[in-house]
Amino acid sequence: MALPRHKLTNSELKAKTPGKYSDGGGLWFHKRPDGGAQWFLRYTIFGRRHEMGLGSFPSVTLKAARQEAEKWQAVVREGKDAIKERERQRREAESNLHILSDVARDAFESRKAELKGDGKAGRWFSPLELHVLPKLGKMPITQIDQRDIRDTLVPIWHTKASTAQKAMDRLRICFRHAAALGLDVDLQATDKAKALLGKQRHTVTNIPAMNWRDVPAFYQSLDGGSISELALRLLMLTAVRSYPLRTLHLEQIDGDVWTIPAEAMKGRLGATSDFRVPLSQEARRVIAEAALLARDGFLFPGVRKGVISDMTMSKLMERRGLAERPHGFRSSFRDWVAETTNTPHDVAETALGHTVGGAVERSYRRTDFLEQRRKLTERWAYFLQAVPAGKVISI
C-alpha cells in the first residue's frame, strides 16, 4: 500500500506552528520557533537515516520542494547517497566552470619563466587583481563578453589609461589561454570592448627628469649615508633602472664590474646574456659604504625584510620638494652624454641597457663596449662630484 503524498497545502504553510510536518514521500517541512522555515528530505540508505536540506521557505516553494525531493529520491533508489551525490555534482560543476580568476592565475603561472623576477617585479598580475578580478573573477570566462569588460574598465579607461591598457592586454592573454585549454571563448571580446570604450583621452607624460646641469648639486647633497641615499647615489652614477639596483646582490660585483642577470633587465628584447655595468671609482666607494649595511647579501635591504621598495628613493626626492623622480636620471645622463661628449650612439644607448640594432646586426656584433663605457661612466662620476676639468678623462 503506497504511503499518502502531497499532504500539505500552500495556504496552511505560513500558519503552521513550530514543528516538523510530513508532506509524504520523505519530504518534510520544518517550522522553527523564530518563524523561519525550511524543507528537508528524509531518506534511508545502507541502513542509516539521513536528512538532506532542500532550501528555505518561502524561497523554495511547495511545488519546487516536491520536485527536488523526487529528484533525490530517484538517486537513492539507484543505491546512491543523495547528500554525497549532490556534493560530487557540485564539485564537478565548479571544476567545469573555468572562472576567470582560475584561468588568469593559470595563464600567469605558465608565463612566469618569461617575466622578470617571475612576474613579481613587473607586477604582471596586479592590473587584473586590482581592477578586473574583483568584478569578473567569479564569472566563467566563457560567459564574459565585451560589455562585461567595458563596464569593468570604464571607471579607469581615461583616468588611469596605462593601467587600464595593461589590464586589457592581460585579459587578452587570459582569453587566448582559455582557448588553448579548449574553452569556447570569444577571442575578439577585448577588441570589441576597446571599440565600445573608445579612444583614451589620457595623455601619457614622461617621468620628470632633472636637468643634467642641476644633477651634480643634488648628488652632492646626498651626504646622509642612509640606505636610500646610497641607493640613489649609485642609481645616478650607473644610470641603471630601479629594479636591478634595488635587488643588487654582492655576488654580482666583481672588482669594477657589476653583472646584472639577464632576467633582471628590461628593454633588451631577445637578450639571453647578462649585462655588465662598469663601476667608476665613486661607484665603488658608494658600494663599499653600503656594504656595511647589507643584509642577506643584498646591498640595499628593506627595513624589515627583502630589499627597499620601488618608492623608497622617490619618497626621498619628494621630501626634498622635487617633482623629478629617480628614473628620470637616466634621461639626465643621456642628455649630458649628447650635449657634452662625442660618444657614439651605440655606446650611449648600450650604457642605458638599451638594445641596439636589429637581430642580424646584434648576432655579428659581440662587444658590449665595456671599455668605452668605463671611461664614460668615470667621466660622469667626475661631473657629479664637480671634479676640476683637468682631471676629466677624455673618451
Side-chain angles (χ1 to χ4, degrees):
M1 178 178 173
L3 295 174
R5 297 166 62 86
H6 298 181
K7 295 185 289 185
L8 301 175
T9 63
N10 281 309
S11 60
E12 67 180 334
L13 290 178
K14 289 185 178 180
K16 289 287 189 184
T17 58
K20 295 181 180 180
Y21 303 90
S22 173
D23 185 55
L27 177 62
W28 286 76
F29 178 76
H30 178 205
K31 186 70 173 288
R32 301 193 307 271
D34 63 5
Q38 67 264 348
W39 300 100
F40 67 89
L41 175 66
R42 182 176 288 170
Y43 65 92
T44 301
I45 188 169
F46 309 133
R48 296 182 61 190
R49 191 172 78 172
H50 301 269
E51 291 186 353
M52 176 184 185
L54 299 179
S56 60
F57 175 83
S59 298
V60 177
T61 65
L62 175 58
K63 180 180 179 180
R66 286 169 175 168
Q67 290 173 344
E68 279 293 291
E70 177 54 37
K71 169 186 172 182
W72 294 112
Q73 283 287 29
V75 170
V76 173
R77 288 193 292 270
E78 293 175 1
K80 300 176 183 177
D81 187 323
I83 294 175
K84 291 183 178 180
E85 178 62 16
R86 183 170 65 178
E87 179 62 20
R88 186 194 66 78
Q89 291 182 14
R90 184 190 65 78
R91 289 196 303 268
E92 184 177 323
E94 286 183 352
S95 67
N96 291 332
L97 273 178
H98 293 292
I99 59 177
L100 176 61
S101 61
D102 291 343
V103 174
R105 286 183 172 82
D106 193 49
F108 176 48
E109 289 296 326
S110 69
R111 283 160 178 75
K112 266 189 175 182
E114 308 169 15
L115 304 171
K116 183 174 67 176
D118 282 342
K120 295 178 182 177
R123 301 185 184 90
W124 190 95
F125 203 70
S126 295
L128 289 173
E129 192 169 41
L130 296 176
H131 301 288
V132 177
L133 297 185
K135 296 180 180 178
L136 301 180
K138 294 182 180 180
M139 283 186 65
I141 194 170
T142 55
Q143 297 180 25
I144 296 175
D145 62 22
Q146 63 271 23
R147 289 177 293 274
D148 298 316
I149 299 172
R150 176 200 60 189
D151 294 345
T152 298
L153 294 180
V154 70
I156 63 169
W157 188 245
H158 298 293
T159 58
K160 297 181 179 179
S162 177
T163 300
Q165 186 59 58
K166 288 178 182 178
M168 187 73 81
D169 292 341
R170 307 295 193 268
L171 265 177
R172 184 179 293 109
I173 291 173
C174 291
F175 272 77
R176 290 205 302 265
H177 190 77
L181 290 172
L183 302 179
D184 184 17
V185 294
D186 182 1
L187 289 174
Q188 296 182 341
T190 51
D191 292 331
K192 294 174 183 176
K194 288 185 71 173
L196 293 175
L197 287 163
K199 187 175 180 180
Q200 291 177 314
R201 292 191 300 268
H202 179 74
T203 301
V204 177
T205 56
N206 293 324
I207 296 174
M210 188 176 292
N211 186 291
W212 62 269
R213 296 176 180 83
D214 300 326
V215 175
F218 177 68
Y219 178 84
Q220 293 164 46
S221 74
L222 299 171
D223 55 1
S226 67
I227 288 178
S228 55
E229 288 179 307
L230 291 168
L232 190 53
R233 285 171 62 189
L234 190 60
L235 184 87
M236 297 167 71
L237 287 163
T238 55
V240 299
R241 290 182 171 85
S242 170
Y243 176 74
L245 180 118
R246 290 186 298 105
T247 56
L248 193 164
H249 200 277
L250 290 171
E251 293 179 350
Q252 298 171 3
I253 298 173
D254 183 11
D256 63 355
V257 175
W258 166 24
T259 302
I260 302 176
E263 62 269 17
M265 291 297 294
K266 176 185 176 184
R268 303 177 72 234
L269 298 179
T272 57
S273 60
D274 301 336
F275 180 66
R276 298 190 297 174
V277 179
L279 297 170
S280 63
Q281 291 181 21
E282 174 69 359
R284 297 198 296 276
R285 281 193 289 270
V286 171
I287 291 171
E289 189 174 348
L292 300 175
L293 305 173
R295 186 178 67 231
D296 299 327
F298 289 108
L299 198 63
F300 304 114
V303 176
R304 294 182 179 83
K305 61 180 180 178
V307 298
I308 58 174
S309 74
D310 197 28
M311 292 300 295
T312 302
M313 291 180 285
S314 295
K315 289 293 184 183
L316 186 154
M317 296 184 70
E318 190 176 309
R319 288 193 298 272
R320 297 282 188 96
L322 299 172
E324 295 85 357
R325 290 296 174 262
H327 189 80
F329 288 117
R330 287 168 55 81
S331 295
S332 306
F333 169 77
R334 189 64 180 86
D335 290 343
W336 171 83
V337 171
E339 295 193 34
T340 68
T341 76
N342 60 352
T343 305
H345 175 270
D346 287 3
V347 176
E349 287 299 297
T350 302
L352 292 171
H354 290 165
T355 300
V356 179
V360 174
E361 180 183 350
R362 293 198 303 272
S363 68
Y364 283 96
R365 187 184 63 233
R366 303 294 180 178
T367 182
D368 62 358
F369 306 109
L370 182 66
E371 292 308 315
Q372 289 171 273
R373 289 191 291 122
R374 191 190 306 279
K375 294 179 180 179
L376 182 64
T377 54
E378 197 68 61
R379 183 171 173 179
W380 171 244
Y382 283 163
F383 173 70
L384 294 185
Q385 298 172 81
V387 173
K391 294 186 178 180
V392 173
I393 298 174
S394 61
I395 300 176

